[in-house]
Amino acid sequence: MSLTEARFHDLVDATQQTLEDVFDESELDIDLESSAGVLTVKFENGSQLIFSRQEPLRQLWLAAVSGGFHFDYDEESERWMCDKSEEQLGEMLERIVLQQAGAELDFEGL
């Protein structure tokens, strides 16, 4: 674990704020809930995305209809990368939001 606890929390906080901004600026009818480090995005069709921080592992977790995904922060690229597929968080979210909500959103930079 190369990330300190403080840096990890700063990165997750910044990521969750970026996510909230993207969803707030979208035309989607969604509900956002943020509590105790967990960000929940509820789409109009009832499906959800749940982002949670896993402090002991220094990972950001995403639960979606298509499954659960774990992301490690890559200092070199300054991106959250899936620990299984090595896909960037932003790329995966673009695909997942299209599948779950039928909307194309830009998660560039995540």
Side-chain angles (χ1 to χ4, degrees):
M1 283 183 273
S2 59
L3 292 178
T4 65
E5 182 178 340
R7 174 126 169 89
F8 169 73
H9 285 293
D10 288 346
L11 288 166
V12 174
D13 289 344
T15 299
Q16 288 186 341
Q17 185 60 57
T18 299
L19 290 167
E20 287 183 43
D21 292 345
V22 170
F23 285 113
D24 280 340
E25 294 168 8
S26 76
E27 300 292 321
L28 293 174
D29 183 13
I30 56 169
D31 289 321
L32 292 174
E33 293 178 15
S34 184
S35 177
V38 177
L39 175 64
T40 304
V41 181
K42 296 180 181 179
F43 296 108
E44 189 175 17
N45 64 11
S47 70
Q48 299 181 57
L49 297 177
I50 302 170
F51 299 90
S52 61
R53 64 185 76 208
Q54 299 300 316
E55 186 179 324
L57 301 172
R58 303 289 199 269
Q59 289 184 325
L60 176 64
W61 286 10
L62 166 62
V65 171
S66 56
F69 306 94
H70 304 163
F71 294 86
D72 294 306
Y73 190 75
D74 180 62
E75 292 282 0
E76 189 174 318
S77 66
E78 298 183 339
R79 299 279 190 269
W80 290 99
M81 307 294 287
C82 181
D83 68 353
K84 296 272 189 285
S85 68
E86 297 186 9
E87 187 175 9
Q88 290 181 5
L89 175 62
E91 293 171 350
M92 185 178 287
L93 282 174
E94 288 176 7
R95 181 173 41 80
I96 288 173
V97 169
L98 184 60
Q99 290 170 345
Q100 284 190 217
E104 292 185 24
L105 299 182
D106 184 5
F107 292 96
E108 184 67 34
L110 283 182

